[in-house]
């Protein structure tokens, strides 16, 4: 009788563990590159393979180009999955005498504006709190000269701190 009880308890434990692992939600990716994020809409924005800054620094793969002279913008679906968006603002060697502003909006609310991005003031690192945000909109503006008003977000990454699976109990 004792053996049957132990066997029954062991089977119950195995079934409980199987249930928990079977009904756990998958772990969300801890990071997502801006170039790979779910793009919703925008104007005069493009993913680029690479960029070389006026100082000769090179960025490859995760580069998004905004034509700020045309008030470029893009919106991305974050689905409330991320806590932080960070990266670096850069210009290209072909950028004229632009003076750029980048503004971030989360679900229609202004989060942060960065001003004074120029050929001589670039490689500006940024970090934006996007916790609980469904849609992120990034707007660019060139308040400097009109031509070749390109500003880039390089190494843009969305991060979350949720690395543990959610378990249905």
């Amino acid at each position: 009788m004792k053996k049957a009880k132990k066997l029954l308890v062991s089977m119950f434990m195995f079934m409980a563990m199987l249930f928990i692992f079977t009904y756990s939600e998958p772990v969300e990716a801890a990071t997502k590159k801006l170039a790979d994020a779910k793009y919703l809409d925008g104007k005069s924005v493009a993913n680029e393979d690479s960029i070389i800054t006026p100082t000769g620094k090179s960025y490859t793969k995760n580069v998004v180009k905004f034509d700020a002279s045309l008030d470029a913008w893009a919106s991305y679906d974050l689905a409330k999955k991320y806590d932080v968006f960070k990266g670096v603002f850069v210009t290209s060697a072909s950028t004229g005498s632009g003076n750029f502003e980048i503004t971030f909006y989360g679900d229609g609310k202004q989060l942060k504006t960065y001003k004074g991005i120029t050929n001589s003031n670039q490689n500006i690192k940024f970090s934006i709190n996007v916790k609980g945000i469904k849609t992120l909109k990034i707007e660019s503006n060139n308040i400097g000269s009109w031509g070749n008003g390109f500003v880039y977000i390089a190494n843009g990454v969305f991060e979350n701190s949720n690395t543990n699976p959610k378990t249905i109990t």
Side-chain angles (χ1 to χ4, degrees), residues 90-154:
V90 297
T91 61
S92 71
S94 66
T95 296
S97 57
N99 183 358
F100 306 109
E101 295 180 349
I102 299 283
T103 303
F104 294 92
Y105 296 89
D107 298 328
K109 179 182 172 191
Q110 185 174 339
L111 302 174
K112 179 93 174 163
T113 297
Y114 289 87
K115 298 180 179 186
I117 305 163
T118 65
N119 274 350
S120 60
N121 183 26
Q122 60 169 312
N123 297 320
I124 300 169
K125 292 181 180 179
F126 68 88
S127 181
I128 304 290
N129 180 349
V130 295
K131 188 173 181 91
I133 291 175
K134 183 175 180 345
T135 303
L136 179 71
K137 184 176 184 183
I138 305 169
E139 290 184 353
S140 67
N141 189 336
N142 181 4
I143 58 175
S145 70
W146 183 259
N148 292 329
F150 303 125
V151 63
Y152 301 78
I153 294 178

Side-chain angles (χ1 to χ4, degrees), residues 1 3 6 16 29 32 38-41 44 48-49 58 61 75 81 96 100 107 110 115 125 152:
M1 194 69 169
K3 283 185 178 182
K6 274 186 173 181
K32 180 171 282 287
K38 185 175 180 184
Y39 176 80
L40 296 175
D41 197 6
S44 302
E48 297 285 314
D49 290 330
S58 179
K61 302 289 181 206
S75 60
K81 293 180 182 179
F100 306 109
D107 298 328
Q110 185 174 339
K115 298 180 179 186
K125 292 181 180 179
Y152 301 78

Side-chain angles (χ1 to χ4, degrees), residues 47-58:
N47 288 340
E48 297 285 314
D49 290 330
S50 64
I51 178 70
I52 298 174
T53 71
T55 60
K57 185 163 175 71
S58 179

Side-chain angles (χ1 to χ4, degrees), residues 57-90:
K57 185 163 175 71
S58 179
Y59 294 91
T60 58
K61 302 289 181 206
N62 188 19
V63 178
V64 178
K65 174 182 175 181
F66 290 78
D67 188 344
S69 293
L70 298 176
D71 297 328
W73 62 274
S75 60
Y76 298 91
D77 180 8
L78 305 187
K80 301 182 179 184
K81 293 180 182 179
Y82 303 100
D83 298 327
V84 176
F85 175 52
K86 62 185 182 178
V88 61
F89 300 122
V90 297

